[in-house]
Amino acid sequence: IANCYRQLIVLHLLACAIMFVFPENSYCEPVIQRTEVKGLSSMERDGFLDILKLEPGSLLDENAVRLGIKRAFEKGIFEDIRVDFEPESGHVEVSVTERLYVKKISVRGNHIVRRSFVKEHLGINRGDLYRPEMLDDCRIGLEKKLWEKGFPEATVDLTGEATSEPY
């Protein structure tokens, strides 16, 4: 019987040692060593990383990052935000696509119709959110207005040109 107690005590100590070495909640969040941000120009890098909770030296908390991405989208200046993390190196790469806005409207090649008429009926204004697919709708709308004004042969050619700044 004493031998059985000894074996039970040894087994109990072994089980305690295993639980100590491999606790049930042994997962810990990885530490961010380095962050790289690509495509950001509308705001300061450090402020952006603060919103996303991705400062070097901090723990990577997926829920906090998810909430940070939602907060960043609420600013209305981002089209896409992607976060990639390499646990082995602690490297975080954030890729950002910012929304584009109309910065300038130029009217060229027009010698008959007032520029103000063209800009007024173009259907797009400085500061509007820019999407390439909107140009066709603007072109059709302006050609219709020119037809109504007595220029049925008028054609409109619209192009969008990217700038180095999103807005």
Side-chain angles (χ1 to χ4, degrees):
I1 289 187
N3 197 17
C4 285
Y5 282 122
R6 238 181 269 149
Q7 286 178 346
L8 279 175
I9 290 173
V10 169
L11 284 174
H12 180 71
L13 289 174
L14 184 60
C16 288
I18 289 173
M19 287 174 49
F20 180 75
V21 174
F22 302 105
E24 186 177 312
N25 297 323
S26 65
Y27 173 77
C28 66
E29 295 162 332
V31 176
I32 298 169
Q33 299 297 327
R34 186 170 58 97
T35 55
E36 183 180 357
V37 180
K38 296 179 178 179
L40 181 70
S41 62
S42 294
M43 62 184 299
E44 294 291 322
R45 177 186 182 277
D46 291 342
F48 178 70
L49 291 175
D50 185 49
I51 289 172
L52 296 185
K53 303 298 180 200
L54 290 173
E55 298 93 357
S58 64
L59 296 177
L60 179 69
D61 180 348
E62 289 183 33
N63 290 326
V65 172
R66 223 176 265 112
L67 289 172
I69 289 172
K70 286 181 182 179
R71 279 193 306 276
F73 274 117
E74 288 172 2
K75 291 184 152 297
I77 59 176
F78 300 108
E79 196 70 33
D80 186 40
I81 301 172
R82 193 178 82 233
V83 178
D84 295 312
F85 179 68
E86 287 197 22
E88 299 80 31
S89 64
H91 178 243
V92 174
E93 181 177 293
V94 183
S95 299
V96 175
T97 304
E98 296 182 344
R99 289 185 169 176
L100 300 175
Y101 292 86
V102 176
K103 185 174 181 179
K104 180 180 174 184
I105 297 174
S106 300
V107 179
R108 290 181 239 154
N110 170 41
H111 301 290
I112 299 171
V113 180
R114 290 186 335 268
R115 286 177 188 233
S116 60
F117 176 88
V118 173
K119 286 184 177 184
E120 180 182 334
H121 294 91
L122 186 57
I124 187 171
N125 296 300
R126 187 172 179 226
D128 287 353
L129 183 62
Y130 172 77
R131 295 195 189 280
E133 61 272 12
M134 72 192 299
L135 293 180
D136 203 38
D137 292 337
C138 292
R139 179 188 57 75
I140 291 168
L142 183 55
E143 284 178 349
K144 181 180 177 193
K145 288 294 182 183
L146 288 167
W147 185 83
E148 291 170 359
K149 190 168 173 75
F151 299 99
E153 301 296 321
T155 59
V156 176
D157 181 32
L158 300 177
T159 57
E161 185 178 308
T163 64
S164 59
E165 302 167 6
Y167 62 4

